[in-house]
Amino acid sequence: MVQAIKEEVQSLLDNFTALQANGKQGVVRNDHFPERYLQTGFGDINVKVPKIQDRT
């Protein structure tokens, strides 16, 4: 699950690499949301979801 989140975030960032704001990348990673505890059918997991910031 963690790997899937990382891949999705990287895909989103890759899709917006051309978007610029004041000469800098327009969409960037910005830390993480607080860690969350999830109960799934595969067992309990802790997840840290990255924050994405749109500077445009």
Side-chain angles (χ1 to χ4, degrees):
M1 178 142 203
V2 174
Q3 185 63 29
I5 291 171
K6 287 181 181 181
E7 289 176 11
E8 185 173 348
V9 168
Q10 190 57 50
S11 174
L12 177 93
L13 293 173
D14 291 344
N15 287 338
F16 291 100
T17 55
L19 192 60
Q20 299 284 311
N22 298 324
K24 296 181 180 177
Q25 190 170 350
V27 179
V28 295
R29 241 183 228 138
N30 185 17
D31 201 21
H32 289 84
F33 288 103
E35 190 169 345
R36 298 183 70 183
Y37 174 78
L38 300 175
Q39 294 179 338
T40 70
F42 299 108
D44 301 336
I45 57 173
N46 291 323
V47 178
K48 284 181 72 174
V49 177
K51 289 182 184 178
I52 304 295
Q53 182 179 8
D54 181 0
R55 298 185 199 174
T56 59

